[in-house]
Amino acid sequence: MSIIKIKDFLDGEFDYILDARSPKEFKESHIPGSRNFYVLNNEEHAYIGDMYVNNSKFLAKKEGVCFMLENISKQLKNFDAPPGSRILVYCARGGKRSTALYTILSQLDYRVCKLEGGYKAFRKWVVEYLQSFPHKKFAVLRGNSGCGKSELLNYLSPSLDLEKLANHYGSLFGSRGAQPSQKQFENEIAMFLYKTNPEKTIFIEAESSKIGKLIVPKLLHKRMQESLQIEITADMEDRIKRIIEYYGDIDSKEFTENLEKIKPFISKKIYEELRINFKNGNLEKVAEILLTEYYDKKYKKKKADFIVKNDNIESSVKKIYSIIRR
């Protein structure tokens, strides 16, 4: 059996990374880039675990094998990896589930490896790496809401878009739907950093220590505070357009709930103006009021090393690259 350690996996190249754990475990968190190829589904995993502890270890293993063979058979029919593909398999601790999947796949014309220690070993590496990663060169894009910082990150490389990974715009009105787990957020950040040359400047948007419900790793947040600060500015008209583009599809229920959250920070008059304008569909006015009466007042301006007015994306990107070269 070809078993590899975490370091060999991180430095290696694989066509497919297969997670043999249950769909529930996979959804909670997994190795970035992997796909779920469960050998026990959620119910079977709980059932076999209970039988193993409270009934008979032998019967649990026997019934578990039956489930595994059936599940692997079903998924293998739709597994379209070409012959010669390099495949990594892992489970929770590198035990029976990944071994079962490895055993069957290795009978085909695949180059299969199993991850030593499984997902538990990977998570141990993530936690340790995020406490000591070598990257110190960051260019932090600061600025008021709607200045196009996230948009600029799409054109700058290498860039670490924390809001995209967190599935949240980083404000009370910033929810994009369900956020990933804290573990998955950390997994994605760690893998990005590991794959990025520490000598390169990484572009990143200024964030508080939390994005929605997720916490930015402490060392990363510290390095961001210590790094080059670039203030991004934009005309109010452009900012309003971006705010509508980002938040324009918010429904009435979500808007009302978020409005209640900011109620302590705005006057009664502003609260009513926001409520009435949203009800009347006047989103431009809603965006303008939110920017001038809430977001701009909440923004804690920090001394910037450079200022770039973002009135044209291509021009702004060139200016930012020029700053880095200097």
Side-chain angles (χ1 to χ4, degrees), residues 23-199:
K24 180 181 179 181
E25 293 170 287
F26 179 83
K27 184 178 180 181
E28 201 276 329
S29 64
H30 52 268
I31 294 177
S34 64
R35 58 189 279 186
N36 194 205
F37 201 119
Y38 64 88
V39 299
L40 294 174
N41 65 29
N42 298 334
E43 294 75 18
E44 292 163 351
H45 182 230
Y47 171 69
I48 295 300
D50 181 69
M51 180 183 288
Y52 189 88
V53 173
N54 299 312
N55 194 343
S56 164
K57 292 182 179 180
F58 171 76
L59 290 177
K61 291 177 183 179
K62 183 178 179 181
E63 193 154 357
V65 168
C66 293
F67 286 142
M68 289 177 182
L69 292 173
E70 184 178 355
N71 288 325
I72 293 174
S73 176
K74 286 179 181 177
Q75 293 170 93
L76 192 57
K77 291 178 181 178
N78 298 317
F79 186 54
D80 56 0
S85 295
R86 186 163 167 75
I87 299 173
L88 176 80
V89 298
Y90 71 92
C91 61
R93 296 177 177 80
K96 292 181 175 59
R97 288 184 287 178
S98 56
T99 298
L101 184 56
Y102 174 95
T103 301
I104 291 177
L105 292 179
S106 62
Q107 302 305 307
L108 304 172
D109 293 329
Y110 296 135
R111 294 174 292 163
V112 191
C113 297
K114 191 177 87 161
L115 182 62
E116 183 179 73
Y119 182 69
K120 185 177 181 180
F122 174 76
R123 272 299 300 172
K124 183 175 183 294
W125 170 80
V126 168
V127 172
E128 292 174 352
Y129 185 73
L130 289 178
Q131 293 174 348
S132 60
F133 61 84
H135 307 72
K136 295 181 180 179
K137 296 182 179 180
F138 292 89
V140 183
L141 306 187
R142 308 186 62 83
N144 287 314
S145 297
C147 289
K149 303 180 293 294
S150 296
E151 191 176 347
L152 285 168
L153 287 183
N154 292 327
Y155 293 85
L156 295 165
S157 180
S159 64
L160 177 55
D161 191 338
L162 294 177
E163 292 184 356
K164 185 175 182 180
L165 294 181
N167 199 37
H168 198 284
Y169 286 124
S171 67
L172 277 177
F173 285 85
S175 175
R176 295 179 177 180
Q179 289 190 269
S181 67
Q182 180 67 34
K183 288 181 180 180
Q184 191 59 32
F185 184 54
E186 294 169 356
N187 292 351
E188 299 286 353
I189 293 172
M191 285 295 281
F192 171 87
L193 291 173
Y194 189 81
K195 297 293 184 181
T196 302
N197 185 344
E199 295 304 312

Side-chain angles (χ1 to χ4, degrees), residues 241-255:
K241 287 179 182 178
R242 288 194 183 96
I243 291 298
I244 292 174
E245 182 181 341
Y246 295 157
Y247 307 110
D249 60 351
I250 189 171
D251 61 40
S252 178
K253 182 177 181 293
E254 186 179 356
F255 179 82

Side-chain angles (χ1 to χ4, degrees), residues 223-236:
R223 296 269 168 90
M224 290 164 65
Q225 304 303 309
E226 299 168 345
S227 296
L228 182 74
Q229 307 290 315
I230 302 176
E231 184 83 13
I232 306 298
T233 65
D235 292 331
M236 181 59 70

